[in-house]
Amino acid sequence: MTAPWWRAHGLDVRIIDLTGPRARVARLLRGCDLVYVCGGNSFHLMRCLRDAGAVPLIRGLVSSGVPYVGESAGAVVAAPDIDYIAPMDVRHEPATTLRAPLMRETPTPGLALTRLHVVPHVGGRLLGAAADDILRMHAGESGYAPLRNDEALLIEDGRMRRLTTGSLAARLL
């Protein structure tokens, strides 16, 4: 859904089907100047990234200076572990078995691109209550970054800046 926006801003957008052949996923990722990972269910997204062999490729791209942009679940999976997002996202297997919940003991490593745990949708109408629950569960702990729908974190050279669009519509979603 965001591809037209990126294209309108002059970017050559490649949509990568993570369920496609691993060699194709790898070839398309290796040619990227920016990696954008969209939202959805964080557990499903991370499982698809692992199954596609994209995790080491994305880590390598980022370590070589390629920017990573994560929206919602895309921001969540940048954390070292994604278990913290369980109050917001149901822990399910990929689409073929969406009705089978993951066992609690199942490891939930993320991409580990940052030490932060982004908590998206703070104050939002749809997922704001779940975001509040996560923040209460981790109150007093460092490393949790609450974000409204109109905010983003920019991490560059070890420094972090919070950016905002000021969009009232985005804040209310």
Side-chain angles (χ1 to χ4, degrees):
M1 291 179 3
T2 60
W5 186 89
W6 289 104
R7 285 187 181 111
H9 287 82
L11 285 117
D12 176 25
V13 176
R14 298 180 202 159
I15 298 174
I16 300 174
D17 177 4
L18 293 174
T19 63
R22 279 180 156 221
R24 178 175 163 71
V25 170
R27 182 174 42 79
L28 289 171
L29 272 173
R30 284 192 187 106
C32 290
D33 296 322
L34 178 139
V35 176
Y36 167 82
V37 180
C38 63
N41 182 293
S42 303
F43 297 102
H44 177 72
L45 174 58
M46 197 61 227
R47 175 70 180 261
C48 289
L49 289 167
R50 275 194 309 272
D51 289 352
V55 173
L57 296 171
I58 292 172
R59 286 179 181 151
L61 287 167
V62 171
S63 70
S64 71
V66 172
Y68 177 90
V69 177
E71 180 178 339
S72 189
V76 169
V77 300
D81 189 277
I82 63 171
D83 186 58
Y84 74 98
I85 206 70
M88 187 177 291
D89 287 346
V90 179
R91 297 168 57 101
H92 282 301
E93 292 291 330
T96 56
T97 58
L98 269 180
R99 301 206 187 280
L102 285 169
M103 300 305 294
R104 191 75 185 139
E105 296 78 34
T106 303
T108 56
L111 293 170
L113 302 177
T114 177
R115 292 185 307 247
L116 286 176
H117 298 82
V118 170
V119 181
H121 309 299
V122 171
R125 194 174 76 231
L126 299 176
L127 296 170
D132 290 344
D133 289 344
I134 293 166
L135 293 172
R136 271 192 297 278
M137 290 170 60
H138 298 282
E141 295 179 42
S142 63
Y144 287 83
L147 289 178
R148 297 184 320 240
N149 290 334
D150 69 332
E151 293 180 314
L153 288 179
L154 175 63
I155 302 172
E156 191 173 36
D157 299 326
R159 293 184 310 247
M160 183 174 66
R161 286 189 309 150
R162 185 178 300 266
L163 308 172
T164 184
T165 66
S167 168
L168 182 58
R171 285 183 72 179
L172 294 176
L173 289 176

